[in-house]
Amino acid sequence: MATGPDPAGTRFFCTTGRGLEPFVLREVRARLGAKQVEYVSGKVFFTTSSDLNTLKRLKSAERLFLLVKRQHPLPAYPRHKEKTFRELQRLVHDAPELWLEALSTWERLLAHEAKERTLSPRTTAPQGKRAGDSEALIAKKLRTEHTLEEPKSLQSGQLGKEREEEAVPGHRGLVSQDPLPGIQGEAATAAGTKDPGSLTFRVSCRCSGAIAKAFTTQEVSRLVGVALMKQFGWRADLRRPRLEVFLHLSDVYSVVGIPVLRVPLASRAYIQTAGLRSTVAWAMASLAEIQAGAFVLDPMCGLGTILLEAAREWPNACYVGADISDAQLVGAGDNLTAAGFWDRVELLKASVTELPLLSESVDVIISDVPFGKKFKLGKDIRSILGEMERVLRVGGTLVLLLSEAHCQQLVGRKGDLNPPGDTSHEEETVVPGDMGRTDAAPPWGSLMPKEAHW
């Protein structure tokens, strides 16, 4: 069996935060040379022949899956559950070859990565405490993934429990049932095992819309799990399965996939203490189009997530983070040290309204403006924007993450801030141009709004 990527390409999909789909679209094209790229809300589908190491470089996606099936939504019959149950089982029984092909591809990707890791020359591990901390952090994330929820009784019929798309379901094994003849040999070959029953799996399910009102995720997960056991002879094991099967059933589509990696792409091993979501931080930095030699400032840096993502992706720039909170600066310093970036990012204590910087001295400002839930600004948003305008050079770039309330305060007309309509089948979710500016004097001063992402 070949161990490299399929030259014809493999069909994948990524989950992503709402509003980040355009960033994933651009990223899979740029990094992976992906084809047949399309998306629905929260998911991006694409075809690529990239290897696993390249796939791991995606920064704006939450999780990565091999696509097994994607089809129209399943009908829900609340008064005739057996009809819906049969439709659920058809996800497995109608096209077993798709399952075997996806499983074979999954094994090939993992085998290719293992081979490359074995053949590649060993690099010297960082000396001192930082190397051990990194390994401990990765191990902690793996342990957390296996213990997000406590086991529940088998009597509840739970094969998998929804928590959220990025979470891992509860743990409990099911007794294997007799497989149907004729398929087990192919399944064993695809799984790389002599006995198909030795392949353990669990089902993670997320339901929304009509089917969620009629059935629980436990019912859906159990039915699909039993169908897989009958069809292929796999054994259910929700504690430490070798394979995870992911289902998302909604009023728009039915999607079945296999997670490529146990740890989500959004879980950065180099971030010790999470602040802003790493995918959002990377997306903001990507909008800034940071050039070599640029002076990049985050005047409300918090734990430094934006600076970490930017400095790692665009290392040839000068980064400075400021914050008024001593606790936040200590946390940011710890993050920078753990990531090995302590000598690449400078931190200073300062108020965002009184920055100790010369006028027009900064090329790029990127900042997550507090929404007022955990941290309060204490100042009018216009005052903050005015100080940022002062230190930003002519032609510089300002990227802000704002709450809707702050946008309303800046623009002054609530009606102009309604998010655009459903763009789930469009290529972009960008609000161009004037951000709803009125005929009154613009609140941005000399700054010219360019685009907004909702």
Side-chain angles (χ1 to χ4, degrees):
M1 179 184 296
T3 57
D6 186 351
T10 301
R11 195 70 174 154
F12 295 89
F13 72 92
C14 290
T15 56
T16 186
R18 183 172 298 178
L20 291 181
E21 297 93 344
F23 296 92
V24 181
L25 286 170
R26 290 193 287 266
E27 198 181 0
V28 296
R29 290 187 179 116
R31 292 191 192 271
L32 310 179
K35 307 297 182 183
Q36 298 176 301
V37 183
E38 54 183 324
Y39 83 92
V40 295
S41 179
K43 292 180 179 61
V44 175
F45 300 85
F46 58 94
T47 300
T48 182
S49 57
S50 299
D51 60 24
L52 190 53
N53 287 328
T54 305
L55 289 163
K56 287 179 179 179
R57 295 178 58 203
L58 293 176
K59 294 293 187 179
S60 54
E62 293 287 338
R63 295 192 73 185
L64 174 67
F65 299 82
L66 276 166
L67 180 64
V68 178
K69 298 185 75 174
R70 177 188 175 193
Q71 63 184 48
H72 295 298
L74 294 180
Y77 304 102
R79 297 182 181 179
H80 303 282
K81 286 192 173 185
E82 65 279 0
K83 291 185 178 181
T84 303
F85 290 166
R86 285 195 293 269
E87 292 292 333
L88 285 168
Q89 291 172 335
R90 288 180 60 185
L91 288 173
V92 177
H93 297 321
D94 276 4
E97 68 279 1
L98 295 178
W99 290 88
L100 296 176
E101 181 182 352
L103 181 60
S104 178
T105 302
W106 177 70
E107 291 280 353
R108 186 171 66 247
L109 283 169
L110 297 182
H112 185 61
E113 183 197 31
K115 181 179 178 180
E116 285 191 338
R117 190 164 53 242
T118 302
L119 294 177
S120 61
R122 293 187 177 183
T123 56
T124 304
Q127 295 181 355
K129 187 173 181 291
R130 285 204 300 258
D133 287 346
S134 178
E135 293 176 1
L137 180 61
I138 295 172
K140 179 180 179 182
K141 288 182 178 180
L142 287 171
R143 289 196 300 272
T144 302
E145 182 187 16
H146 288 301
T147 57
L148 284 174
E149 295 189 77
E150 291 298 322
K152 293 198 174 182
S153 172
L154 182 60
Q155 301 299 322
S156 67
Q158 180 178 14
L159 183 63
K161 178 176 175 63
E162 175 189 0
R163 183 181 180 95
E164 59 181 8
E165 280 196 31
E166 296 75 34
V168 179
H171 317 307
R172 177 64 68 182
L174 287 179
V175 178
S176 177
Q177 301 187 14
D178 293 334
L180 296 179
I183 274 295
Q184 48 187 312
E186 292 177 307
T189 301
T193 60
K194 295 181 180 180
D195 179 11
S198 66
L199 178 64
T200 57
F201 79 103
R202 68 179 168 208
V203 177
S204 302
C205 181
R206 183 183 182 208
C207 297
S208 57
I211 199 165
K213 296 177 181 178
F215 305 96
T216 67
T217 56
Q218 291 90 336
E219 289 176 304
V220 173
S221 298
R222 183 175 179 83
L223 280 165
V224 173
V226 169
L228 288 168
M229 289 190 292
K230 287 183 175 180
Q231 186 74 55
F232 302 115
W234 302 344
R235 292 187 300 107
D237 179 3
L238 302 186
R239 181 173 294 277
R240 295 186 181 277
R242 183 149 183 259
L243 178 72
E244 183 180 354
V245 175
F246 171 78
L247 288 88
H248 186 188
L249 309 179
S250 72
D251 291 336
V252 180
Y253 52 75
S254 299
V255 173
V256 183
I258 296 175
V260 178
L261 304 167
R262 286 190 177 274
V263 178
L265 292 168
S267 297
R268 313 287 205 241
Y270 49 84
I271 295 181
Q272 178 172 283
T273 305
L276 178 66
R277 191 73 174 166
S278 59
T279 52
V280 176
W282 185 90
M284 292 176 67
S286 71
L287 286 173
E289 299 181 352
I290 299 170
Q291 303 296 319
F295 179 7
V296 182
L297 169 70
D298 183 350
M300 294 175 282
C301 68
L303 295 174
T305 309
I306 294 174
L307 296 170
L308 275 169
E309 291 293 317
R312 187 175 180 87
E313 187 78 9
W314 298 275
N316 298 319
C318 174
Y319 295 95
V320 173
D323 205 286
I324 196 63
S325 167
D326 289 323
Q328 292 291 293
L329 289 173
V330 169
D334 291 342
N335 273 340
L336 293 172
T337 301
F341 286 1
W342 58 272
D343 59 343
R344 294 168 58 180
V345 180
E346 183 177 351
L347 298 176
L348 54 92
K349 182 176 180 179
S351 169
V352 65
T353 59
E354 297 177 355
L355 295 170
L357 298 171
L358 296 175
S359 298
E360 299 186 17
S361 61
V362 178
D363 298 296
V364 175
I365 296 176
I366 314 172
S367 192
D368 170 22
V369 178
F371 283 18
K373 294 180 179 179
K374 186 175 180 181
F375 300 103
K376 295 187 181 297
L377 285 174
K379 294 286 184 178
D380 186 278
I381 185 66
R382 296 170 187 258
S383 301
I384 293 172
L385 201 64
E387 180 67 355
M388 292 181 183
E389 179 188 11
R390 181 187 71 79
V391 300
L392 189 66
R393 70 169 177 81
V394 176
T397 300
L398 173 63
V399 180
L400 298 178
L401 181 62
L402 297 169
S403 68
E404 184 176 337
H406 289 147
C407 286
Q408 291 175 12
Q409 187 179 2
L410 286 173
V411 178
R413 276 174 52 185
K414 183 176 180 179
D416 293 328
L417 289 165
N418 293 328
D422 181 13
T423 58
S424 60
H425 297 287
E426 298 178 7
E427 290 272 321
E428 302 285 346
T429 55
V430 176
V431 183
D434 62 8
M435 279 282 289
R437 291 171 65 179
T438 69
D439 294 334
W444 307 87
S446 63
L447 301 174
M448 298 298 295
K450 184 178 180 181
E451 63 183 19
H453 295 256
W454 298 86

